[in-house]
Amino acid sequence: MMRTPATSLLRGALRASRTTTMVPRAAASTHAISNPTLAKIEKRWEGMPQTEQAELWMALRDRMKENWTELTVQEKKAAYWIAFGPHGPRAVPAPDEGRKVALYTALGVFASFVLFATMRSFAGPPPSTMTREYQEASNEFLKGQRADPLTGISSEGYSGKGMVQSPPKH
């Protein structure tokens, strides 16, 4: 690699940009978290800002790294509730959620029926291949071609309908 003043300058700038500033963080706390901080955490947790939730959880996590017999009852309860309580994805569904699901499902089915009926009302006549006469002629053609001679329309003793699936033309 060529060592020129320009490359040395670029290398120094790159080295300077890679250095990260270390944010000092307190070591594991050896004193108990205050009771007012943990009081009624079940009711306050959802309304707390994310940063405050994270700080409280980190403080509890640091306390749990030590001997658990030194944790207060409030800290144990708060740690359990934060980890396993009914908040976030484990929140209890709203009391009318079942009714809403049923209502929106019914609306979806109704909307699809309306769409289907609208498309059917603007559709053209059925194709000529959907008449009973055409399908019976297809049966005769298949018999003449000896199509599916083992189990199908050309086999001995065949008693099925073959290609006929439409009612007779009026």
Side-chain angles (χ1 to χ4, degrees):
M1 184 160 156
M2 224 163 122
R3 304 264 180 193
T4 64
T7 59
S8 297
L9 184 64
L10 285 173
R11 197 176 315 111
L14 181 64
R15 212 176 296 123
S17 70
R18 275 195 254 164
T19 58
T20 57
T21 318
M22 294 298 292
V23 178
R25 189 164 162 252
S29 178
T30 56
H31 65 280
I33 299 172
S34 66
N35 277 342
T37 305
L38 300 175
K40 298 182 183 171
I41 192 70
E42 301 87 7
K43 293 182 177 86
R44 295 184 307 123
W45 184 259
E46 290 289 327
M48 289 171 67
Q50 289 279 353
T51 55
E52 194 175 334
Q53 286 179 355
E55 286 174 8
L56 180 59
W57 176 243
M58 292 299 178
L60 279 169
R61 190 192 65 179
D62 290 343
R63 287 279 294 152
M64 288 187 293
K65 286 181 181 176
E66 303 298 320
N67 190 353
W68 278 45
T69 57
E70 296 173 6
L71 289 174
T72 65
V73 174
Q74 282 289 98
E75 288 173 329
K76 290 177 185 176
K77 285 181 180 178
Y80 181 84
W81 194 86
I82 290 170
F84 303 110
H87 57 86
R90 293 179 302 277
V92 178
D96 64 339
E97 186 174 354
R99 187 178 58 83
K100 283 183 181 178
V101 168
L103 176 68
Y104 288 128
T105 302
L107 283 173
V109 169
F110 179 73
S112 63
F113 174 75
V114 167
L115 181 64
F116 173 76
T118 303
M119 290 179 69
R120 280 293 284 211
S121 67
F122 290 109
S128 61
T129 58
M130 290 301 292
T131 63
R132 185 175 186 93
E133 293 76 22
Y134 188 92
Q135 292 164 1
E136 287 172 349
S138 295
N139 278 349
E140 295 304 318
F141 177 77
L142 289 172
K143 285 178 187 174
Q145 294 291 318
R146 302 263 316 135
D148 200 3
L150 299 177
T151 59
I153 196 163
S154 298
S155 64
E156 292 182 28
Y158 179 74
S159 61
K161 296 187 296 183
M163 295 290 160
V164 178
Q165 59 180 348
S166 299
K169 197 172 189 179
H170 301 206

